[in-house]
Amino acid sequence: MPLSTNKEMILGIMVGTTGISLLLLWYHKVRKPRTAMDLPKFLSLGNSLDLMPLQDEMPNGQGTTAIFQGRQLQILEKLNELLTNMEELKEEIRVLKEAIPKLEEYIQGELGGKITVHKISPQHRARKRRLVTVQSSATSNSSEEAESEGGYITANTDTEEQSFPLPKAFNTHVEELNLDALIQTADNLRMNESSKMESFELLCDHKEKFRDEIEFIWRFARAYGDMYELSTNAQEKKHYANIGKTLGEKAITRAPMNGHCHLWYAVLCGYVSEFEGLQNKINYGYRFKEHLDKAIEFLPEEPFLYYLKGRYCYTVSKLSWIEKKMAATLFGKIPSATVQEALQNFLKVEELHPGFSKSNYMFLAKCYIDLEQTDTAVKFCNMAVLLPCVTKECLRQLKS
């Protein structure tokens, strides 16, 4: 092969190599700034997200920080939506499994002309009892009390309840009480779980007369919380929770130094959060803690407050990674509490009121199990067995 041909070949190889090198150098230079925003890698990191650069360390300034935060929030929302859908699917499957064995009996009943008994909600039962005393005026309220297809009474809108309309048909023959007598009667009725609805009805009958009295307002909010607990229908529960929270807001605005107002506003915020997405749940969680602490400041000897704070601490200690990250992204801080803090609050309940409730004993047992103190946990389990289960909350904890 001629010498000139060899030189040309060598020169061509050198030029080609130089071009490839320049191309690779350019590629790495262009791709490098994007590595911090590589979403597939971000998604695959899982729990190692804690190791990613903080927002104030991002090299591209505030614009990149805002984009990163927005994308992170979108991913967390999608993951939360996926988890929520999975929970709903599991619940639907459970309901279907329970319904299938009864399907044949139901079909036979329909074909045989049997009368189907519809479920009656607490609100419906409450209205029926009150109508007994004022049958002559029942027709004037037919539009407000129209029965829905499923056997439930159509609830008043939140706006109607919040403006305290007077249902004259129900108040026509109600015994008029002064505020002190009303409060005492309502409190006495509420001491019995089976009479909480009657206490609620009594307050409803006097809401127009005492609508501006603080001692009435916070008790009325508490009564809506009781109805939330008694109801078995999701829409009714949401209805009671929202109206109660509105009353609670009114109470804390008018009496910011009243511990009972802060207590029941906190409780109703917790009830409302049950119908919210993850972002609002976290927001209501902060609100719950804020007003619970204020209530403890004004009512330091109230055992129920320490029970609620113990529940809060225990729940926060069990938050998932995604819930903590969501809180940090939205509010700049992660809610923190430990099982040990929860335990101290439940012990405070027992100190202020020995044998306060079966639920308190069960949470004491849970805390000691988490702290690997099995003997003490067994002791509180045995103490819980000795107490009666008088509330739905107690029954739920017993099942868990």
Side-chain angles (χ1 to χ4, degrees), residues 231-251:
S231 178
T232 57
N233 176 268
Q235 287 302 314
E236 282 190 357
K237 291 174 84 73
K238 183 177 181 180
H239 173 76
Y240 290 132
N242 282 323
I243 297 175
K245 183 179 77 70
T246 301
L247 287 167
E249 288 173 347
K250 180 179 179 180

Side-chain angles (χ1 to χ4, degrees), residues 89-101:
L89 182 60
K90 285 168 62 178
E91 179 64 19
E92 290 176 4
I93 292 173
R94 184 189 66 79
V95 172
L96 285 174
K97 284 182 178 180
E98 293 179 355
I100 287 173

